Amino acid sequence: MSSHLSTDHPAVQPPGRGSVEALISQARRLKGDVDAVRRDQGDGTGPRGRWHRALCDLALHQLSDLDAHLAQLRDGPAPAPRPGSLLSRVGSAEWNLLTDEAEWSGELFQILGRDPAAAPLSLDEFPSLVLTEDRPKLTSMVTDCLVDGRPIDGEFRVVRPDGTVRTVHMMGEPVLDADGSTASMWAVLRDVGELRRSQRAVSETRDSLRHSPLPARTGPRAAVEPREAVPPPPWHGLLRFPHQGRPGLDLAAGYLPAAADTPRCGVWYDACPLAGDETLLAVGDLTGADTDPAQGPAMVIGALRGLTAAGTRPGELPDRLARLLRSTALPPVRGAVYCGYRPGSRTLRWAQADGPAPLLFRDGTETGQTGRTGTDLQAGDLLVLHTGGLVPAGRQRLLALAPRLTGARSAQEVLSIVTEEVGESLRREDACVLVARVTPRQSPAPRT
């Protein structure tokens, strides 16, 4: 790869049209075939249908990209792609290390949302466009390229002047002079935001499929079904956790069954709306050996949602729910925590019913700052609620995981870590864990 391959150099000659046309025809035939498979699934309303549709959409996105890139290869560089076109998502840049000059393609200005009449940023200035947490990654890639001659191949996020964030995939190499010294660095940058969104849709629908009850399978393939990493609770088919999340929060929750020879209890978790955009986060147990692990928790969650819909505040829920359950055959709730979170002020208020206090993780440590009834949270804070099924060593294990938990990229990843590390030996009975990460507000674009 060298600088003369940039899409801005007019000397580049398109390859033979016949061979590229054949590839374009193949790509378009594949698009038609995938689209037909997608339509065969009907409305795709079930978990498997949603996953199937999302995977087909992802394949269609990638084939559309391939079609457009081949067309660009056939037609040669386009000096001014129309705004919003697919081709505007691929650009190139060259940074001259001897003169500190930079050359950007028109496509790159569009990707970064910058005025094409403005001067391109130098290699030293370019990181100012990158999100702060991604700058060390970019710096490492560029240093490895310029010092050790390693190719660049990685992703990072940039902030456009309008405040929107785009994920960019960068590939590049050093350009050597006649003496073998690095004279410049050339790179191709691609906006992969739509691709990543499609991949997330596939991942989310796959997780929904894993957490939903599936029909029994028979025959040879039934014996090779993959084991669930986080099994759904027994009541999951009756009342599901909201996978779409809540304002200001990235949410995940899981059911951790104890060993087969330990007592089962009716553990439950829930996240539901309160007034406005406030969210109720709750976990708890039902006492009693006769508790139906499928029906009991679902009835409690239904009662809980009914009370919140009627305007009951989190601090009132322990008493109100206890009085309501006295008129039923269900045992009383124990080990419960009820939290109300307001995203506007980032305040958390909570009440207990003999449940473990919420754990608050910040900057690699467990802060212990949840107080007796609430606290103020910050962007990036991680809140972990769990039922009383963990032995003391299990809770200590959670505290020891603080650096890994706060370093995770999502609430779902935190849940996976907890599920893996808090094994059966650390649970005296079934347990539930609810993870809530405070998401950042939209930050203004950096000044350049």
Side-chain angles (χ1 to χ4, degrees), residues 82-166:
R82 67 183 185 277
S85 73
L86 187 63
L87 298 183
S88 68
R89 297 208 302 270
V90 181
S92 62
E94 184 171 350
W95 289 279
N96 190 308
L97 303 180
L98 304 179
T99 64
D100 204 29
E101 295 177 343
E103 293 184 15
W104 288 7
S105 69
E107 295 91 343
L108 183 56
F109 279 96
Q110 287 194 346
I111 290 172
L112 301 177
R114 298 180 63 83
D115 183 358
L121 299 185
S122 68
L123 196 56
D124 290 334
E125 297 170 326
F126 186 74
S128 65
L129 306 181
V130 180
L131 282 181
T132 303
E133 54 264 40
D134 289 358
R135 289 178 188 174
K137 180 180 180 180
L138 174 64
T139 300
S140 176
M141 290 192 300
V142 171
T143 300
D144 289 344
C145 177
L146 299 181
V147 176
D148 300 327
R150 299 179 186 174
I152 289 178
D153 187 354
E155 294 182 7
F156 50 86
R157 292 164 296 173
V158 297
V159 182
R160 292 158 55 98
D162 61 3
T164 59
V165 177
R166 297 291 180 87

Side-chain angles (χ1 to χ4, degrees), residues 182-212:
T182 302
S184 63
M185 191 185 84
W186 178 81
V188 168
L189 295 95
R190 180 186 180 208
D191 181 349
V192 294
E194 288 188 17
L195 177 63
R196 296 296 172 257
R197 281 191 290 274
S198 295
Q199 290 173 332
R200 283 196 297 271
V202 171
S203 177
E204 289 168 1
T205 54
R206 182 185 63 228
D207 290 341
S208 176
L209 178 62
R210 287 176 176 173
H211 294 167
S212 300

Side-chain angles (χ1 to χ4, degrees), residues 381-392:
D381 280 357
L382 183 66
L383 191 70
V384 177
L385 282 64
H386 67 86
T387 57
L390 304 185
V391 299

Side-chain angles (χ1 to χ4, degrees), residues 46-52 55 199-215 217 224-237 240-241 243 253-255 257 269 412-413 415-417 419:
R48 283 190 178 276
R50 289 193 297 269
W51 171 78
H52 190 281
L55 201 56
Q199 290 173 332
R200 283 196 297 271
V202 171
S203 177
E204 289 168 1
T205 54
R206 182 185 63 228
D207 290 341
S208 176
L209 178 62
R210 287 176 176 173
H211 294 167
S212 300
L214 302 178
R217 301 185 66 172
V224 295
E225 282 293 316
R227 183 178 178 181
E228 305 264 338
V230 182
W235 46 267
H236 193 272
R240 297 187 199 171
F241 184 71
H243 292 287
Y255 165 69
Y269 56 77
Q412 188 64 46
E413 185 175 340
L415 178 62
S416 298
I417 294 172
T419 303

